[in-house]
Amino acid sequence: MTRAQTTPTPTRVGPGPTTFSPGGIGESVRRPDGVPKVTGEFEFSSDMRLDGMLWGATLRSPHPSARIWSMDLSRAEAMPGVRAVLTHEDVPGRKVYGMETPDQPVLAWDRVRYQGEPVALVAADHPETAKRALGSIRVDYEVLDVVSSAEEALAEGAPELHPSGNLLRHVRIRHGDAEAAEARAEVVVRGEYEIGMQDQAFLGPESGLAVPDGRGGVDLYVATQWLHVDQDQLAESLGLPHDMVRLTLSGVGGAFGGREDLSMQVHACMLALHTERPVKIVYDREESFYGHVHRHPCKMRYEHGATRSGELVYVRASLVLDGGAYASSSTAVVANAARFACGPYRVPNAVLDAYVAYTNNPPCGAMRGFGAVQTCFGYESQMDKLAEKLGMDPIELRLRNAMKEGTRLPTGQKIEGPAPVAELLEKLREMPLPEGPGGGTRDLRELPGGVSNTTHGEGVVRGVGYAVGFKNVGFSEGFDDYSTARVRLSVTDDGPLVEVHTAAAEVGQGLVTVEAQIARTELGVEKVSVLPADTRVGSSGSSSASRQTYMTGGAVKLACEAIRRRLFETVAERHGEDPEGLALENGSVVSDGRFVVALDEILGAEPIEETVVHRHVETFPLDEDGQGDADVTYAFSAHRAVVDVDVELGLVRVVELATAQDVGKALNPQAVEGQIEGGTAQGLGLALLEEIQVRDGRVLNASFTDYLLPTILDMPPVRTEILELADPGAPYGLRGVGEPPNISTPPAVVAALRDATGRELPRMPVRPEALVGIADGPPRRRPQPGSAGYGTLGSLEERRDQ
Amino acid sequence: MRLSCVVNGEEREAENVWEGESLLYVLRERLGLPGSKNACLQGECGSCSVYMDGVIVCSCLVLAGQAEGREIVTVEGLAGEGGLHPVQEAFLETGGVQCGFCTPGFVVATHDLLSRNPGPSDAEIREALAGNLCRCTGYEKILDAVRLAARRMSP
Ligand code: FES
Ligand code: FES
């Protein structure tokens, strides 16, 4: 076996540093990583390679619930080209991990609790060798009963999946006096709604390269959303101090919440430390479906009471989320679902109970919208139902109850700053509707069914639907949420240069661009370099919760301000200027537009560096009645969907999606639009196409053949109106942008489908069967074509058994 | 086996290729051309699109051996001496790139579309790019990019 001689570094490492000349904030600046991304030179986490590198692979359980009696590794170990076969016995440190509750085995022992749970690892010279070695491992499983839904898990006598029981968290919110309010309600509507399991389906598969340093430590180059929370968990499970587990962000091919939990990180490091060789792990698409958490499926029961004039009097809701086999971020997701369960409306009285339970289904956790997506479908469906019962226009009803500045949420928290719910709805109402009612002879490509030639317009009905949604920005419930930025201003041969160093993950959203724009704006320097994100600087928190521009952008801004203050003190001293009147422009210090001194001159050979930690306002946990100022701030969006439905075949063409969103301040308008359009597409997917189908704990469609993502044919034009109503507490007044579109799109699409078909459609994604009234649920028969699920990756014997 | 083919205008050889390897694997892991991507490895996403003898293919579905003696052009081969190809330039400019994982595939597919049809309608663009998945952009800015490139490239 050849061993790596020295500490090698990957041939090309990740996405930076990139020096460029960004515009300031408010400009649609091009991405600094754009050129390598269009030429194919940008290095994603799956693109790294090193001489002498091994390929890691993961054996996963074919059973959703089983006891492991024994494992026979001997055949795998004896295979030529296999360099290591590891099990839970080889985990050097803590054998479990988890962001909030460490309950998930790094490698299973004794029990497996979901199909696809990692059981053993192999490192080999060639990926095919590794795969064959996996196939030769014998695991003796005793198959156990499957707890296949949250209701089942919470029922009396259900098998307990964890020592703490099956209930992961119950969030209870009591607001006002719902009992007394019931008497005042003149109209009551009830509804039950359900939402399936959505996948983040980022295109870049889970991957990374672990490189041993020859001194017992390891460097990991990986695609993730939060380097430091990975580092914490890695240090625990590898039994190493933090400084011996160093992480660098490599190119991330999308994330959407699915990279917040660990996937291959500990595994690759274990194999690398064991073999003393660099080890790369790259999941394929099927494995990716098993390798990360998904959006929680959710069942909701709602009751809304209102006066005859349409004023909401009370809301009762019970929400049950399926957390899957391990905790992930379920406890935070369920609290979000509960806090936003009444929607962006004035609801004086509410009784809300949200539960999340362990089951033997795939673990669920963070996905764009984080709990708010589920409930928005519930409360917006209810608002439409109520409008219908009252004979009111659905927009009118929403306007009448729209939350505004000063409204109190069911948690008692008062909305500070603009809450432009009514404005957003008005904007939508003003937008012209697209032409051409359903039907009439048109281009086949513009009809439901497209060139399948299923209709020439007959049976096609148009529908229009609206929805509005909101959620928190940043981490809530007392979490110590902060971001760190190190900024350095120096003079190079090319003039002044600002270097920005943070650990914040660029996942595609354009954070690196915005960081540079902020530095450019604050320091008036043309050349900005964004250094690669790594753990050599303090944590930036996660690229999630629509928080990164707010938190890390805010940290960069503060660091620049600190540099500016130091600089101006020097200028004041040396040039006798009043520091208050000084500003930075085009590489010079000016006072009231009058040139004072060039940066080159004042800085000389002495760069100024500042490291600053940015914290948002303190938040607080909820008390036993669910009361407390749990959130930092909120972001709002509204959607209008226009659909054509072939009501005989249940085929749909979304004609247009229009949206209005308040972003506080658009730091990079083009990137903001990109976030809105992308989030809207994922919302369309959830409404119509995307569901991981799980039957008795088994995933039936772990492939892009069977899990359907919206294509360019499915996505209609998106008409976008962006409002910039400054959030008084935020850097530049900005609000998070990424999640809201994903929240208000799905209910708008379903409302349009209801409008076209007159059917109730209580479940998302809406299938053709439901549109024609055959069934509202998924088909009972197992789909035949394509993937048969993870059963194919068990041992040969097990494959034969199937 | 040994494999020889022309890649981006250069004669290339790869030794010890296992017969089951795909063209995509050989490009990425043996020839140092990881620009073509590996999002699904089953012909569903288009991220691995390359030209083989002038025809666009999903390189994840092409066995390495099938490329013997053929001419391959990958995303890395599209930019000229003078800088980016107008298609690449357009993707950058319109914001058609976010995470960028789908971008190589879209760039190759757009390059192919515009060489066959220099002035495509929106419906034709959608049809031509229907085999390429993007999870980030919602396709709006990708459409903008194709329209812009078409305008710039038409005489
Ligand atoms: S990787 Fe080839 S089509 Fe997806
Ligand atoms: S830009 Fe991320 S998949 Fe298209």
Side-chain angles (χ1 to χ4, degrees):
Chain A
M1 182 161 82
T2 48
R3 286 199 178 159
Q5 308 282 307
T6 50
T7 305
T9 42
T11 40
R12 299 184 291 155
V13 183
T18 0
T19 305
F20 73 126
S21 304
I25 63 161
E27 291 177 46
S28 289
V29 173
R30 288 194 196 187
R31 308 180 60 96
D33 55 11
V35 171
K37 282 181 175 176
V38 297
T39 58
E41 278 152 19
F42 183 83
E43 188 180 61
F44 288 93
S45 54
S46 49
D47 299 339
M48 296 178 290
R49 58 174 300 110
L50 273 181
D51 288 340
M53 171 186 100
L54 300 175
W55 291 81
T58 315
L59 182 73
R60 294 173 183 273
S61 165
H63 307 294
S65 179
R67 184 164 302 286
I68 298 176
W69 285 109
S70 64
M71 267 186 243
D72 178 0
L73 313 176
S74 55
R75 280 197 292 162
E77 283 167 338
M79 279 174 74
V82 171
R83 307 292 172 182
V85 185
L86 306 182
T87 68
H88 69 93
E89 286 176 10
D90 304 296
V91 179
R94 194 175 68 182
K95 288 183 191 294
V96 287
Y97 70 94
M99 263 187 308
E100 288 170 18
T101 317
D103 64 349
Q104 184 155 2
V106 172
L107 291 166
W109 72 92
D110 185 36
R111 273 220 63 175
V112 288
R113 295 181 182 82
Y114 73 99
Q115 182 201 22
E117 182 161 349
V119 173
L121 304 171
V122 165
D125 296 344
H126 191 282
E128 181 63 21
T129 311
K131 216 188 230 172
R132 290 183 184 187
L134 292 183
S136 75
I137 296 175
R138 277 291 316 251
V139 184
D140 185 9
Y141 291 105
E142 177 195 338
V143 175
L144 302 175
D145 283 346
V146 173
V147 176
S148 63
S149 73
E151 287 85 345
E152 224 179 291
L154 295 175
E156 202 71 39
E160 296 217 333
L161 299 178
H162 290 269
S164 56
N166 291 345
L167 178 65
L168 239 167
R169 187 172 179 192
H170 168 205
V171 178
R172 177 181 176 277
I173 297 179
R174 297 292 179 271
H175 173 59
D177 184 346
E179 231 135 87
E182 271 173 27
R184 278 191 294 125
E186 295 160 312
V187 184
V188 173
V189 289
R190 297 187 180 83
E192 289 188 21
Y193 307 95
E194 188 182 343
I195 180 168
M197 186 185 288
Q198 190 180 19
D199 188 55
Q200 296 84 352
F202 40 73
L203 284 204
E206 287 90 342
S207 42
L209 177 66
V211 186
D213 66 8
R215 296 180 297 275
V218 64
D219 288 276
L220 178 67
Y221 300 84
V222 69
T224 180
Q225 286 175 242
W226 188 355
L227 288 167
H228 283 81
V229 85
D230 285 9
Q231 187 190 32
D232 291 345
Q233 297 177 84
L234 277 164
E236 286 281 358
S237 287
L238 296 174
L240 291 174
H242 277 62
D243 61 359
M244 291 180 79
V245 188
R246 298 159 298 261
L247 278 77
T248 303
L249 188 73
S250 69
V252 183
F256 318 115
R259 295 190 207 267
E260 221 172 34
D261 294 82
L262 294 181
S263 57
M264 44 57 65
Q265 285 90 328
V266 188
H267 299 161
C269 291
M270 278 172 63
L271 290 169
L273 288 167
H274 188 90
T275 58
E276 297 180 38
R277 293 185 44 184
V279 173
K280 169 161 139 171
I281 295 186
V282 182
Y283 290 178
D284 65 15
R285 183 51 54 181
E286 183 184 18
E287 188 168 20
S288 175
F289 274 98
Y290 294 93
H292 61 258
V293 299
H294 313 289
R295 188 190 301 291
H296 290 77
C298 180
K299 290 196 175 133
M300 302 173 264
R301 249 201 341 262
Y302 268 97
E303 180 179 308
H304 278 58
T307 64
R308 207 157 280 130
S309 60
E311 202 178 308
L312 288 175
V313 178
Y314 75 90
V315 172
R316 284 179 185 277
S318 159
L319 319 166
V320 182
L321 284 76
D322 181 346
Y326 296 103
S328 179
S329 47
S330 277
T331 51
V333 173
V334 72
N336 263 33
R339 292 203 305 288
F340 310 123
C342 293
Y345 303 112
R346 290 189 310 276
V347 175
N349 307 287
V351 176
L352 310 169
D353 287 284
Y355 307 84
V356 64
Y358 284 122
T359 66
N360 290 122
N361 290 330
C364 290
M367 181 175 173
R368 199 176 195 171
F370 205 79
V373 168
Q374 287 89 334
T375 45
C376 188
F377 176 55
Y379 61 72
E380 286 301 80
S381 299
Q382 283 287 98
M383 291 302 274
D384 283 340
K385 213 175 220 186
L386 182 60
E388 199 184 329
K389 190 146 186 187
L390 291 165
M392 252 176 111
D393 175 71
I395 296 193
E396 275 312 317
L397 177 67
R398 287 174 168 85
L399 289 175
R400 180 152 309 177
N401 294 287
M403 172 181 277
K404 26 182 189 254
E405 186 160 358
T407 301
R408 282 192 191 275
L409 289 176
T411 55
Q413 181 160 5
K414 200 164 111 197
I415 303 271
E416 313 276 1
V421 178
E423 288 90 325
L424 296 175
L425 288 164
E426 299 281 12
K427 289 273 176 222
L428 280 183
R429 188 150 68 169
E430 284 160 20
M431 289 188 202
L433 279 161
E435 290 205 7
T441 35
R442 283 178 302 169
D443 191 335
L444 271 185
R445 289 172 295 191
E446 291 181 12
L447 287 166
V451 290
S452 304
N453 200 15
T454 49
T455 175
H456 290 227
E458 63 282 3
V460 174
V461 182
R462 175 151 297 183
V464 180
Y466 293 85
V468 54
F470 80 130
K471 92 172 275 291
N472 56 331
V473 175
F475 295 154
S476 297
E477 290 191 272
F479 190 92
D480 181 21
D481 191 7
Y482 66 92
S483 177
T484 315
R486 181 187 297 158
V487 178
R488 186 172 193 264
L489 175 62
S490 63
V491 175
T492 67
D493 292 347
D494 282 343
L497 171 75
V498 188
E499 287 160 288
V500 180
H501 187 191
T502 76
E506 165 62 54
V507 296
Q509 81 278 47
L511 183 73
V512 286
T513 327
V514 163
E515 287 178 328
Q517 287 177 268
I518 291 172
R520 166 79 199 249
T521 302
E522 296 302 328
L523 296 175
V525 168
E526 204 188 302
K527 288 224 161 13
V528 182
S529 182
V530 180
L531 306 183
D534 56 36
T535 49
R536 288 181 304 141
V537 60
S539 174
S540 281
S542 180
S543 290
S544 67
S546 302
R547 66 181 281 288
Q548 210 52 294
T549 302
Y550 191 117
M551 293 306 298
T552 299
V556 171
K557 180 170 188 271
L558 289 179
C560 291
E561 285 166 1
I563 289 178
R564 214 166 51 200
R565 268 196 307 278
R566 271 174 61 187
L567 190 70
F568 288 172
E569 275 164 25
T570 315
V571 174
E573 241 167 63
R574 292 201 204 153
H575 295 264
E577 295 279 344
D578 172 11
E580 293 299 307
L582 297 177
L584 280 166
E585 262 172 36
N586 304 324
S588 304
V589 181
V590 298
S591 173
D592 272 341
R594 169 180 53 85
F595 174 86
V596 177
V597 61
L599 273 183
D600 305 36
E601 195 188 320
I602 193 85
L603 280 170
E606 299 211 345
I608 306 183
E609 183 177 299
E610 287 285 348
T611 304
V612 171
V613 173
H614 176 217
R615 279 189 162 76
H616 58 57
V617 294
E618 195 179 356
T619 63
F620 299 91
L622 299 174
D623 67 17
E624 69 266 24
D625 282 331
Q627 300 299 298
D629 288 353
D631 300 315
V632 185
T633 184
Y634 305 93
F636 301 84
S637 73
H639 272 81
R640 179 186 73 196
V642 179
V643 302
D644 282 348
V645 183
D646 181 333
V647 295
E648 287 155 17
L649 294 176
L651 300 176
V652 177
R653 174 172 174 264
V654 181
V655 178
E656 186 201 78
L657 289 165
T659 177
Q661 182 169 334
D662 174 26
V663 303
K665 166 82 187 164
L667 264 54
N668 183 332
Q670 190 186 65
V672 164
E673 285 167 21
Q675 283 297 303
I676 294 175
E677 290 156 7
T680 299
Q682 290 184 2
L684 176 145
L686 176 57
L688 287 167
L689 304 166
E690 296 182 35
E691 179 174 7
I692 297 186
Q693 297 184 43
V694 185
R695 194 90 8 97
D696 301 324
R698 285 173 193 276
V699 173
L700 304 183
N701 58 340
S703 75
F704 280 171
T705 311
D706 300 313
Y707 182 93
L708 301 180
L709 295 176
T711 70
I712 198 168
L713 284 174
D714 300 305
M715 254 323 266
V718 179
R719 192 190 282 266
T720 307
E721 180 102 30
I722 292 171
L723 269 63
E724 295 187 272
L725 306 173
D727 176 346
Y732 306 111
L734 72 89
R735 283 178 198 278
V737 176
E739 293 174 288
N742 205 203
I743 296 170
S744 51
T745 305
V749 172
V750 179
L753 297 172
R754 289 184 186 125
D755 185 43
T757 61
R759 297 192 191 277
E760 249 188 88
L761 310 180
R763 188 182 194 283
M764 280 199 304
V766 180
R767 298 158 167 280
E769 303 90 293
L771 287 169
V772 295
I774 297 173
D776 278 333
R780 299 308 303 170
R781 207 163 48 86
R782 200 183 163 102
Q784 292 308 307
S787 163
Y790 223 87
T792 49
L793 264 198
S795 68
L796 286 171
E797 277 76 359
E798 276 146 12
R799 267 182 259 175
R800 259 181 244 121
D801 287 346
Q802 287 213 338
Chain B
M1 66 182 187
R2 168 193 285 182
L3 177 74
S4 31
C5 52
V6 176
V7 184
N8 297 331
E10 268 178 58
E11 294 274 357
R12 299 294 302 267
E13 281 198 358
E15 302 282 349
N16 298 324
V17 174
W18 172 60
E19 288 76 3
E21 284 174 19
S22 66
L23 172 59
L24 178 66
Y25 184 88
V26 169
L27 290 169
R28 290 174 53 79
E29 304 296 339
R30 299 193 181 274
L31 299 180
L33 293 168
S36 309
K37 291 292 169 264
N38 53 330
C40 77
L41 305 180
Q42 55 178 182
E44 294 289 350
C45 76
S47 72
C48 61
S49 301
V50 302
Y51 284 107
M52 185 155 84
D53 286 350
V55 177
I56 193 167
V57 295
C58 290
S59 60
C60 70
L61 296 185
V62 176
L63 273 179
Q66 290 176 280
E68 176 64 35
R70 309 282 201 109
E71 202 172 316
I72 310 295
V73 178
T74 72
V75 66
E76 287 101 334
L78 295 184
E81 288 288 296
L84 297 181
H85 188 275
V87 169
Q88 293 169 318
E89 191 62 49
F91 269 79
L92 264 185
E93 209 168 309
T94 59
V97 180
Q98 287 187 29
C99 82
F101 209 82
C102 67
T103 310
F106 270 101
V107 165
V108 173
T110 304
H111 186 274
D112 175 56
L113 165 68
L114 297 182
S115 67
R116 287 180 288 111
N117 178 357
S121 67
D122 279 5
E124 285 167 336
I125 298 174
R126 287 181 191 275
E127 207 171 312
L129 300 183
N132 292 74
L133 293 173
C134 173
R135 190 53 159 166
C136 301
T137 65
Y139 305 105
E140 192 83 2
K141 305 226 176 299
I142 289 178
L143 274 162
D144 287 346
V146 182
R147 294 182 194 120
L148 179 65
R151 265 204 314 281
R152 293 224 176 114
M153 286 165 68
S154 60

